[in-house]
Amino acid sequence: MALLPALFLALLAGAHAELPGCKIRITSAALELVKQEGLRFLEQELETITIPDLIGKKGHFYYNISDVKVTQLQLISSELHFQPDQELLLHISNASLGLNFRRQLLYWFFYDGGYINASAEGVSIRTGLQLSQDPNGRIKVSNVSCDASVSRMNMAFGGTFKGIYNFFSTFITSGMRFLLNQQICPVLHHAGTVLLSSLLDTVPVRSPVDDLVGIDYSLLKDPVVSNGNLDMEFRVPSDLDMLLRATYFGSIVLLSPTVINSPLKLKLQAVSPPRCTIKPSGTTISVTASVTIALAPPMLPEVELSKMIMEGRLSAKMTLRGKALRIKLDLRRFQIYSNQSALESLALIPLQTPLKTLLQIGVMPMLNERTWRGVQIPLPEGINFVREEVTNHAGFLTVGADLHFAKGLREVIEKNRPTNVVDSSDPLSSAAAA
């Protein structure tokens, strides 16, 4: 019936379509929780850098550097913070990249080959992710800014010709540093616009309450970034009006069988959206519904006896468990009356007790079974809440929690990686596609 899931929606849905149904704020403290996982993902992405072969000569010195691979990223200093104008900014300074490559060196008639380790020192990376909403209301990475540089390269030459190699290594290190500088930003651009976007696609836009009703988590507008927070506003469910036209049927029998021999048919229908009042002392929900009572004799047509108004007040306790926002409801106040006749209202007084008993015994357990399942907070796949806490304020609730990575970003992204996607804004991949 409309009364059941609509009570749950009242805690999240606003009364007007132009107002957000709920707001989610990510604080700068949350960034510390995701930074380590983000840096691990960044390290894995930088290991995919491919550097073209480096071939050249200086006098009688010929060199061919090939099969260059990034082996590790060592971070000295990193910062992840919000920046106004809708950006999430990552700044890495004084980092180093471990490299391994195959060398082929020829000096006059002396040849040397094999693999050698090197390092890129003084690596600085500054990249910003600009966030917005896509046409479906999902959050997406709309742009990636990047500035990266390598200040110096070190190579560990050895052997008989160590002195000669060190003398001519300037040409090799300068070339490798140039190529490495050209490769970092395209990798980060692809990681942001393609890979992280595939992760954000796992955020549910619609979270079901039951088979008929769901919470719409599509964004009303682009996320708003301040120095310390990222704020997002989500819609009011578009199916709320449809829900309020639904009905529920139940049967009760009066306590005195001498009054009537046939069971009564009860029809409940919410006549307006539930009203939610949030105070520091607790949350209450007020409901107004029409109640139609009819005789339901076996094998005979129903006979309508009365139509009345029911008003109920329930207390609501909200908790967060993992990704599920749950509610437990308790019926505190209940009354029925006729909006047509004061005399009929007096006649309905004997029905107060059996109807309240029906609600407490038959309806409330069913209602709580649905609301205790909860609705999912919009988080990407593989990320859960821990150390959850829900706090009442005057007019709103705050839901706080720490983030826990049940899966690594790499694992989730690989699972949801789009196939055959060419990043048209990346000149290297565009040239390769052509």
Side-chain angles (χ1 to χ4, degrees), residues 307-320:
K307 203 164 189 177
M308 68 193 88
I309 299 297
M310 181 196 77
E311 291 184 350
R313 180 174 296 173
L314 305 94
S315 64
K317 183 178 180 181
M318 297 187 64
T319 58
L320 182 65

Side-chain angles (χ1 to χ4, degrees), residues 118-132:
S119 63
E121 305 292 341
V123 179
S124 176
I125 301 174
R126 186 180 180 88
T127 183
L129 304 180
Q130 189 169 17
L131 306 175
S132 64

Side-chain angles (χ1 to χ4, degrees), residues 166-180:
N166 288 335
F167 176 75
F168 289 110
S169 64
T170 303
F171 306 102
I172 300 176
T173 55
S174 297
M176 289 189 65
R177 184 165 64 89
F178 173 80
L179 294 174
L180 191 57

Side-chain angles (χ1 to χ4, degrees), residues 35 47 71 73 135 172 207 215 230 281 298 300 342 362 370 374 419:
K35 186 172 77 169
E47 289 178 359
T71 58
L73 171 65
I172 300 176
S207 183
I215 302 297
L230 170 66
S281 58
L300 293 175
R370 291 192 182 187
T419 58

